[in-house]
Amino acid sequence: MQTNISTWTVSRLCIAAILFVTAWCARVTYTFSDPQLSLLTSQALLENGSINLYRYKTAMPSDQFSSGNWKFTTCGRKETCYYSYPLGNSFLSLPFVAAANFFGLDMANTEQDAFLQHLLATCCTIVLFFLLCRIARLFLDEIPALVAATAISFGTGFISVVTTALWSFDIELILVLVTLDYLLRYELKLAQKKRPVLLGLLVFFAWFCRPSAAIVAALAGAWMFFRQRRQLPLFILSLLVPLGVFMWLSYRSYGVLFPSYYNPLYWEHTASSGSGFFQRMSALLFSPARGLFLFTPLLLLSFGGFFSAALRKNKIYIAMTGWFLLQLVMTATQKNWWGGWCFGPRLMTETLPSLAIAGFLVFGEHLQKGRARQAMLLIAPLAAFGIFTHTVQGLYNKETVDWNDFPNIDGRPDYYIWNWKQTQLFADAAGNHVKRKEAEILQELSSVLPELRPGANLLYGEPGAITRTIYDRWEKNGTLPVHVHNNLYSIEQSAKDTFWITASDFEMIRGMECYRILAPEGQPSLGDYLRSMENYNVLLSVSDEGSYSLSESTRAYFRSKGSAIDSLHFREGYAALFLHGKLFAEQFEKNDTAKVSWTAKTFSLRATSNGKTTGNNAQLLLNGQNLSGNHRGFNVLVVDDTGNVIDNTCFDTHVFDARVPKVFAVVRSDKHRQ
């Protein structure tokens, strides 16, 4: 008997095979992120009949159990540990985890958990492709339907997001597309069998996987009201029965009817970034970090229907675009609206079904009007860009993962959102290096800038090309209130007779007769400072060098306490301890590290010192904790008799016998002006 397989079927299978290989061989994964404990929860259900992960948490190293404590919660109850994210994937993955356990895989093993996550996510991508093909055929002929489904599968978050981990919307999207397939076929009179129970279960489990699917549940409920009103009670019942089971499980486990992730009353709507609502909406659509239409410009064509009188009246088209807007508003109101560590507009992945169907309708109308050539000329480059973005960059460029760090996007979202110079779209090693360097400099300058007047000139950082590029961009964009330079030539070109430096940059101008560093005004000498602290206990340690600029008054103070400070040699280590103004111990670095220590009833003090040539290190330990900044000169720790820290400072006595300010003024000498 000969079986004829249609070209349509063969074509879909071939593309699905290519899609599977492309997704499975991906070099980028986010299995370490939010989904990490999802499959372990499935295993806990199989092994213990409970979603409590406490047994695993106590039996595993903390970093192996979870790479971050935001992924689990204790609900304030003893011996409990629960996955913080939606439980739908955990329950629906039970048969797959059971099979994996049978073959020896353990979800408590990070590598094996990541393997199964990636396998299930890849399979989800394939299922989504077949569903897209099936839905596309409702509006398009076979070849256009295949082209459209392929472009969306390879050129959107359906591959760059869904494939990289078992996110909470991986299975949700499958359930949503199955729901849409049923509704569309009934609406188009291609299937008239009423399935209220199936529809109710589909939208419940979609919500169970991800609570934002409540929008789909509301749309399905409205559709039932207008199209199958007599079946509405069955639909509602099929929602309420599993919902009741869920609430019982939740109360038994968490002590509340709805865990916080499912309860909109507990959702946080104040964005961490400080951006306003409309700014967040704009960023979700067009920003270089999370902009849906920047990463996938093909989706803009889905709104072409508003230029068509027929589609403006099409109920399906209006419903899809309305759904998109609802999803956009819901995402923009969330605290973590940028989606944390991910690639592109991860949280907007849920809008893809609505935009895909709207796009099918627009594409179909162009074909019906004989504008196939024009449509393909427009679609081809946009689809190619989407495939490059989501398949090439999103799946195979690991630098797109590192892009989320230095600084951490969850701590500095505003740094990223409109940063066109360092977009994730084109992340590479060189760009990430520049971004990391820029973040480091900004962090270092955060404590210095308040000491400078707006418009001041600051010499800071090594005179390298990367630093110069960063400073030039800051100057052009007005990023900082001051002018920052990384070389003297730039300062001289600015024709400024006075500029500022930090102690770390002294060496850049040391020995140059044309520049003079001004001594800090109003700062006490080390001797005067120690005299003012005689009611406390003072621990001293020298790093690098501290003898060159010790003033005679400071030396006199040390001598009055019985110190042999005059024996301190250039670049030699030195440690000392004063107890209420009396020298308790001091040691000079001769052949070994200088050390002093003392133990009181409630605390202990210890200082170690190495000079420039023997380690360049100063430690000031209070109860074993090092509080030294390890700055050049005398590092000082002052504590009271109960061990409370009174002060922690430094005197760079290699340059000035004064407490080190954050910035020093530098002037050009008259000789330089001549």
Side-chain angles (χ1 to χ4, degrees):
M1 179 178 177
Q2 187 175 2
T3 302
N4 294 322
I5 302 177
S6 68
T7 304
W8 165 248
T9 301
V10 172
S11 300
R12 286 183 297 159
L13 290 174
C14 289
I15 293 175
I18 296 172
L19 182 61
F20 181 88
V21 172
T22 302
W24 181 248
C25 296
R27 299 177 66 238
V28 173
T29 64
Y30 287 92
T31 54
F32 60 87
S33 190
D34 300 351
Q36 185 180 5
L37 298 177
S38 177
L39 297 182
L40 185 60
T41 301
S42 304
Q43 184 166 303
L45 278 166
L46 293 169
E47 293 182 344
N48 311 317
S50 168
I51 59 173
N52 191 352
L53 303 177
Y54 183 77
R55 167 190 167 190
Y56 302 97
K57 184 177 182 294
T58 56
M60 299 164 59
S62 58
D63 57 340
Q64 183 181 345
F65 173 74
S66 174
S67 59
N69 57 13
W70 76 89
K71 302 174 193 175
F72 59 87
T73 178
T74 64
C75 299
R77 303 167 72 183
K78 294 181 179 180
E79 298 185 354
T80 60
C81 178
Y82 299 106
Y83 183 40
S84 297
Y85 290 92
L87 299 170
N89 280 0
S90 300
F91 278 81
L92 296 176
S93 298
L94 282 172
F96 306 107
V97 174
N101 291 162
F102 177 80
F103 287 104
L105 297 183
D106 183 1
M107 299 305 100
N109 182 300
T110 305
E111 290 76 16
Q112 293 176 6
D113 174 82
F115 169 82
L116 187 57
Q117 269 197 64
H118 188 38
L119 177 60
L120 293 177
T122 301
C123 292
C124 286
T125 304
I126 304 304
V127 175
L128 289 171
F129 168 72
F130 282 119
L131 288 170
L132 284 172
C133 289
R134 178 178 170 86
I135 293 174
R137 279 291 287 121
L138 298 176
F139 310 101
L140 302 167
D141 292 334
E142 289 183 356
I143 293 178
L146 192 63
V147 169
T150 301
I152 292 173
S153 295
F154 282 92
T156 69
F158 274 139
I159 191 167
S160 66
V161 177
V162 172
T163 300
T164 54
L166 191 62
W167 300 102
S168 57
F169 43 62
D170 283 21
I171 300 178
E172 177 221 5
L173 288 171
I174 294 175
L175 297 169
V176 167
L177 285 181
V178 173
T179 300
L180 291 173
D181 180 67
Y182 168 74
L183 297 179
L184 291 170
R185 288 181 182 279
Y186 193 94
E187 193 70 18
L188 297 171
K189 296 181 172 52
L190 298 175
Q192 292 299 302
K193 189 172 183 179
K194 299 177 180 179
R195 301 178 181 273
V197 174
L198 175 63
L199 186 61
L201 291 175
L202 284 172
V203 295
F204 168 78
F205 280 105
W207 173 85
F208 191 28
C209 289
R210 191 166 181 85
S212 52
I215 294 176
V216 180
L219 292 174
W223 183 87
M224 287 290 300
F225 180 81
F226 289 107
R227 289 290 186 264
Q228 299 180 7
R229 193 170 303 178
R230 291 184 178 181
Q231 305 297 321
L232 187 59
L234 280 177
F235 171 79
I236 295 175
L237 187 64
S238 64
L239 280 172
L240 293 180
V241 170
L243 181 62
V245 175
F246 168 77
M247 293 169 65
W248 170 79
L249 174 65
S250 174
Y251 188 79
R252 180 182 176 187
S253 301
Y254 300 95
V256 293
L257 293 178
F258 290 96
S260 57
Y261 206 102
Y262 289 89
N263 191 340
L265 296 177
Y266 290 94
W267 291 351
E268 296 183 75
H269 298 285
T270 303
S272 299
S273 63
S275 303
F277 174 73
F278 290 105
Q279 288 86 352
R280 299 197 295 274
M281 284 185 63
S282 300
L284 286 168
L285 297 178
F286 299 108
S287 86
R290 293 292 182 255
L292 176 66
F293 297 134
L294 186 70
F295 279 71
T296 320
L298 177 66
L299 297 176
L300 282 170
L301 301 183
S302 299
F303 297 93
F306 288 107
F307 298 97
S308 165
L311 288 180
R312 285 199 301 268
K313 299 176 182 179
N314 187 300
K315 295 178 181 178
I316 296 175
Y317 185 79
I318 297 302
M320 292 302 104
T321 52
W323 174 13
F324 167 79
L325 291 175
L326 287 173
Q327 200 76 50
L328 173 63
V329 169
M330 176 179 284
T331 304
T333 59
Q334 298 308 303
K335 179 180 180 181
N336 186 31
W337 58 270
W338 62 90
W341 278 48
C342 61
F343 179 78
R346 178 176 72 92
L347 295 188
M348 294 297 286
T349 305
E350 289 179 283
T351 66
L352 294 180
S354 61
L355 292 178
I357 293 171
F360 295 157
L361 287 166
V362 173
F363 190 22
E365 184 177 16
H366 278 276
L367 296 179
Q368 289 175 6
K369 293 182 177 181
R371 296 199 293 261
R373 180 181 177 84
Q374 296 91 323
M376 290 306 300
L377 286 175
L378 184 59
I379 290 173
L382 297 179
F385 180 79
I387 292 170
F388 166 77
T389 298
H390 293 277
T391 299
V392 178
Q393 294 291 87
L395 289 191
Y396 287 89
N397 182 3
K398 286 189 173 182
E399 296 298 332
T400 61
V401 181
D402 294 340
W403 175 91
N404 290 286
D405 206 2
F406 305 111
N408 188 324
I409 191 171
D410 289 329
R412 294 279 306 281
D414 288 330
Y415 174 91
Y416 289 87
I417 297 306
W418 296 109
N419 189 337
W420 292 93
K421 295 289 186 180
Q422 297 167 341
T423 170
Q424 192 180 27
L425 270 171
F426 305 109
D428 58 18
N432 282 341
H433 179 66
V434 172
K435 185 164 67 67
R436 184 182 301 112
K437 184 67 176 178
E438 182 174 2
E440 290 173 353
I441 295 174
L442 283 173
Q443 179 64 32
E444 293 166 0
L445 289 177
S446 62
S447 63
V448 175
L449 294 179
E451 306 296 319
L452 298 171
R453 293 180 179 178
N457 287 269
L458 174 67
L459 180 65
Y460 187 84
E462 74 273 9
I466 292 178
T467 306
R468 184 178 68 251
T469 299
I470 293 171
Y471 289 178
D472 287 347
R473 185 167 70 248
W474 288 354
E475 186 71 20
K476 181 179 179 180
N477 298 336
T479 304
L480 299 179
V482 301
H483 308 289
V484 190
H485 310 264
N486 75 324
N487 60 83
L488 285 170
Y489 176 77
S490 176
I491 289 282
E492 292 169 354
Q493 291 298 107
S494 301
K496 301 296 182 183
D497 290 336
T498 303
F499 58 94
W500 300 83
I501 64 172
T502 62
S504 61
D505 291 315
F506 277 1
E507 298 301 327
M508 295 180 68
I509 61 173
R510 182 173 298 283
M512 302 180 67
E513 296 181 359
C514 52
Y515 293 105
R516 180 166 58 91
I517 303 174
L518 300 183
E521 298 180 357
Q523 294 285 350
S525 67
L526 176 59
D528 292 338
Y529 176 83
L530 293 176
R531 187 175 291 108
S532 69
M533 292 293 171
E534 289 188 347
N535 290 329
Y536 303 106
N537 308 300
V538 183
L539 195 61
L540 304 171
S541 179
V542 171
S543 176
D544 193 320
E545 207 290 307
S547 65
Y548 186 77
S549 294
L550 273 176
S551 66
E552 179 55 35
S553 63
T554 294
R555 292 179 181 274
Y557 177 82
F558 272 85
R559 287 195 294 265
S560 70
K561 301 299 180 179
S563 168
I565 193 67
D566 293 327
S567 301
L568 180 61
H569 298 151
F570 183 71
R571 290 183 171 174
E572 182 182 21
Y574 172 81
L577 174 63
F578 288 84
L579 301 179
H580 289 273
K582 296 180 180 179
L583 180 63
F584 175 78
E586 72 175 350
Q587 189 174 36
F588 298 83
E589 179 191 18
K590 300 302 181 183
N591 299 320
D592 197 3
T593 301
K595 304 174 185 177
V596 298
S597 61
W598 178 62
T599 301
K601 291 183 179 179
T602 58
F603 66 95
S604 64
L605 294 173
R606 176 179 169 83
T608 65
S609 173
N610 293 95
K612 176 73 172 180
T613 60
T614 59
N616 196 26
N617 186 48
Q619 288 190 324
L620 299 171
L621 293 95
L622 173 62
N623 295 326
Q625 181 183 2
N626 184 20
L627 302 180
S628 169
N630 196 34
H631 301 294
R632 182 176 58 191
F634 278 77
N635 292 268
V636 184
L637 177 65
V638 182
V639 299
D640 62 17
D641 289 335
T642 61
N644 295 317
V645 176
I646 302 301
D647 198 10
N648 188 359
T649 186
C650 175
F651 289 74
D652 188 2
T653 50
H654 176 68
V655 181
F656 303 113
D657 189 355
R659 186 197 293 250
V660 176
K662 293 179 179 178
V663 289
F664 295 82
V666 179
V667 297
R668 300 192 193 193
S669 66
D670 292 336
K671 182 177 180 180
H672 180 271
R673 293 190 180 92
Q674 296 173 359

